[in-house]
Amino acid sequence: MFPTWILLLIIFFYLLLLFSVAYLAERKEMQGKSIVANPYIYSLSLAVYCTSWTFYGSVGKAANAGLSFLTIYIGPTLMAALWWIVLRKIVYLSKENRITTISDFIASRYGKSLTLSALVTLVAVIGITPYLGLQLKAIMTTFSILSGRPEGSHFAGWFISLMLGVFAVIFGARRLDASERHGGLVFAIAFESAIKLIAFLLVGLFVTYGLFDGFGDILGKLHVSRYASLTKLGEGSNVSFLEWTSLTFLSMMAIMFLPRQFHVAVVENYSPGHIKKAMWLFPLYLFLINIFVLPIAYGGLLLGGTQANADYFVLSIPLNQGYPILALIVFIGGFSAATAMVIVESLALSTMVMNSLVMPALWSMNAMKGFHGVILNTKRLIIIGCVFLGYVFAVHIGDFYSLVDMGLKSFEAVTIFAPAILLGLYWKGGNKKGAIAGIVAGFSVWIYTLLIPALARAGVIHKGGLLNAIFGSSLLNPTALFGLEGLDRWSHSLFWGIFLNLFFFVAVSLFTKQSDAETRQAITFVDSYALPHLSHPFRPKNVSEIEGILEQYIGRAEAREAVDGFLRKNGLTREMTSGDWLGKRPRGYSRARSARRSAPLFSRTRQRSRMTRSSGYRIQSGRSRRVSGCRARSSPRRTGSSPCSRNSARTSSRAFPSGSRRWMKRFALPTGTRQWK
Amino acid sequence: MRRDIWFFLFFLGLMFFSWPLMGIFKGSLIPYLFIIWFVFIALICITAIFSERDEGER
């Protein structure tokens, strides 16, 4: 056992190391020598998929249900084979339309609907909270196992939640940047992926070759024990092939549509070439981290462990065998698995909440001075709020469920987005009303068949009266809806959820009309590779127009200040720049003088451009093309459903051809005051 | 052509990791799953490398 203060100190130093790693990566990126923009870091960052569920929960699942834990990793492996077709298209569309969250993506596809964006955000926050709780529960439980003092774990959980929230704020919301790219954070996540893999391999080697004589020895002993059924599937085991198929499908959807996966795979993607490498590097990572799950699970049972405590075999085996240092390494590995998830997920959720729920409410204040400060601090509060929401779930409800149970609920929740996204990518007929109807139907099924039984079991809602009548009913029983019996709860919920979701999505889409905006977006998304740009290019004609555009991003007062500053610096007045000023050089300005005067601004822009030089995407005249050049961050960003883009179609990336971008760059603002997102 | 290869691989994987093919190997399911998993990853890797080379030549 370790004293509590030593464990807290270790956590503190580990987080300090993480800060240093992230800071180093960010500095390198600022210097134009990015160590993040490569396929290996990209693949490792995708391994944020492997949370404490993988680290602890997989062993627990293997000890209780045999091979079914593999579905959570085989699903993403299968899906990876389609990434070059599906993920590449999503990345392409996201870069082209400045989309930074999954809610923006769905909303953008269906005519930039704010209602749809808010609905997706709501589903994601409610659906992901158990998953966040899972991570914090794992941290608190392992902390109390190592310290031997269960009473201190809640305080430790609170302290760690705060630290993680602060980390996410520092590397995710230090400034407002609509690109939502965080090189430092991504590098830290990749670093954590390496740590958790090494820690798991170490404990796996210890159990397999230190305590037993290899895989054969463990499997041989298991076959003659009472746990022999754990090596089977289907008949004679407690996992049916239907459950296997359902879990595989759920994990295939989760790898695509979990908000954090969308963030690292889409938003943080630097080049399409990285996807191709990640298609096999990421599954290889999954393969490696799972090699020793069965030996640890079966070894733990053979050593006298119980199935009820199997979630923490990874930690308890080295501890009980007298290897506290190994147990400490395992604790750090598990901690890194949990922290990576909490940080990225809270960041992704906060961006969704900010764009879809908070910004529309705050937008009326955009004329206020210091508006960007208000939204930046609001975003920081939301990040910390998301982390603490998970903490509350872990403390009050988490005790009633295993790690895998909590994770699978979130997998089911994000599967609700699958029809709207996948059909939206390949079927132009889908419309906003259909998407809303499908998501509402899927979410209702999720609440009814998974959440209500879970809350009833935890005692949050009391069984009795009406609820008892519902549970006893042959038609409305949440675990056997409409009399459908014989399915495990995941298959049951998945069947009804997908069935009703698809039914309402397709039926409502077929019987209702698309608006013009929806039709335009449908064509843009479905024919993304085939069509030339559809919208009319917009070129600002004078300073007032530029000021109007800037105003939508940074507020009226800041926009005016920025424009006035630029004019003052260049000895210009508003009168001199009236009319079609940008179309021609102001009178009295030679080409050389004009270039000399704007040089400092351009050099600043160039400096910032170096930060994104490694980007493989470039927006030009409405088309994303892979070029060796760079993209200046000073150009305005747009998301599919942000109030900015809703209020003005002019802010579309398509609406900013390279010519107007050049003029926008002339009004480059100090970093951190440029955009609200 | 390349696009078809990814679909082919995906459905091949689906076949290998589902019943009834897994039922055939029920006696040695654990080695089967891990070997097929590794082979599947290797197939994706090889296809990706050839695809990259192909694009490079073009």
Side-chain angles (χ1 to χ4, degrees), chain A residues 1-52:
Chain A
M1 300 296 168
F2 294 88
T4 307
W5 68 270
I6 286 193
L7 289 178
L8 285 175
L9 206 65
I10 288 169
I11 288 171
F12 178 76
F13 277 113
Y14 176 76
L15 287 175
L16 205 65
L17 175 69
L18 217 55
F19 273 109
S20 317
V21 164
Y23 178 71
L24 174 82
E26 254 190 21
R27 241 185 107 176
K28 287 271 181 193
E29 204 170 10
M30 297 276 275
Q31 292 164 354
K33 301 171 193 166
S34 176
I35 50 174
V36 182
N38 67 71
Y40 304 100
I41 296 296
Y42 180 65
S43 305
L44 278 175
S45 70
L46 287 173
V48 69
Y49 179 75
C50 298
T51 62
S52 56

Side-chain angles (χ1 to χ4, degrees), chain B residues 25-44:
Chain B
F25 295 92
K26 63 183 172 191
S28 50
L29 200 54
I30 295 173
Y32 168 80
L33 283 172
F34 277 91
I35 290 169
I36 287 295
W37 193 1
F38 187 77
V39 168
F40 185 69
I41 294 167
L43 279 175
I44 298 179

Side-chain angles (χ1 to χ4, degrees), chain A residues 67 70 73-74 77-78 81-82 84-85 219 231 233 241 244 252 276 279-280 283-284 286-287 290 294, chain B residues 3 6-7 9-10 13-14 17-19 22-23 29-30 33-34 37-38 40-41 44-45 48 51-52 55:
Chain A
L67 300 172
L70 279 174
Y73 311 97
I74 286 175
T77 304
L78 292 173
L82 288 181
W84 192 242
I85 295 161
L219 286 177
T231 59
L233 268 180
F241 280 113
W244 171 277
M252 282 167 64
K276 204 166 251 180
M279 283 170 71
W280 60 272
L284 188 64
L286 296 181
F287 179 82
N290 277 289
L294 287 174
Chain B
R3 196 181 159 93
W6 298 121
F7 279 115
L9 275 179
F10 174 71
L14 272 187
F17 288 114
S18 56
W19 183 88
M22 287 199 307
L29 200 54
I30 295 173
L33 283 172
F34 277 91
W37 193 1
F38 187 77
F40 185 69
I41 294 167
I44 298 179
C45 174
S51 163
E52 269 174 12
E55 277 169 21

Side-chain angles (χ1 to χ4, degrees), chain A residues 603-653:
Chain A
S603 68
R604 272 214 306 276
T605 307
R606 274 199 296 274
Q607 194 179 350
R608 271 190 294 276
S609 298
R610 278 200 293 275
M611 290 157 60
T612 52
R613 189 175 291 280
S614 49
S615 167
Y617 296 96
R618 180 180 170 193
I619 313 295
Q620 191 180 48
S621 301
R623 299 284 293 167
S624 287
R625 285 189 297 153
R626 182 146 196 272
V627 291
S628 56
C630 60
R631 187 177 66 202
R633 281 194 173 178
S634 52
S635 57
R637 309 280 174 172
R638 183 193 71 139
T639 58
S641 62
S642 69
C644 303
S645 58
R646 281 163 55 77
N647 289 349
S648 171
R650 295 179 309 175
T651 56
S652 132
S653 62

Side-chain angles (χ1 to χ4, degrees), chain A residues 389-560:
Chain A
L389 202 62
Y391 172 75
V392 169
F393 188 92
V395 169
H396 294 289
I397 303 174
D399 285 345
F400 296 90
Y401 296 95
S402 71
L403 299 179
V404 173
D405 261 11
M406 291 155 80
L408 281 175
K409 280 186 184 63
S410 297
F411 275 26
E412 291 259 9
V414 294
T415 303
I416 294 167
F417 305 141
I421 295 179
L422 291 178
L423 285 179
L425 282 175
Y426 299 100
W427 180 46
K428 287 177 204 158
N431 67 23
K432 182 180 82 176
K433 293 188 188 86
I436 290 175
I439 289 172
V440 167
F443 189 50
S444 307
V445 169
W446 182 82
I447 289 179
Y448 193 71
T449 57
L450 285 178
L451 196 65
I452 289 180
L455 294 177
R457 198 172 145 198
V460 176
I461 51 174
H462 297 286
K463 262 190 176 183
L466 182 65
L467 204 63
N468 246 355
I470 289 173
F471 271 82
S473 151
S474 60
L475 273 182
L476 297 175
N477 185 348
T479 55
L481 201 57
F482 303 122
L484 183 67
E485 287 177 343
L487 300 184
D488 60 280
R489 61 187 154 143
W490 309 117
S491 306
H492 175 262
S493 179
L494 179 67
F495 169 75
W496 283 118
I498 284 287
F499 172 68
L500 292 174
N501 192 337
L502 270 174
F503 173 77
F504 280 105
F505 176 60
V506 175
V508 174
S509 293
L510 288 176
F511 290 104
T512 55
K513 279 186 179 173
Q514 281 182 334
S515 67
D516 288 345
E518 285 175 62
T519 308
R520 198 165 50 243
Q521 287 302 97
I523 294 168
T524 305
F525 273 61
V526 177
D527 295 335
S528 54
Y529 291 130
L531 285 177
H533 60 280
L534 297 167
S535 59
H536 303 291
F538 168 75
R539 181 187 289 269
K541 288 191 176 63
N542 53 45
V543 168
S544 302
E545 283 194 10
I546 289 182
E547 192 178 308
I549 294 163
L550 286 174
E551 189 181 309
Q552 296 172 45
Y553 289 83
I554 59 173
R556 191 172 297 160
E558 278 81 0
R560 190 167 182 81

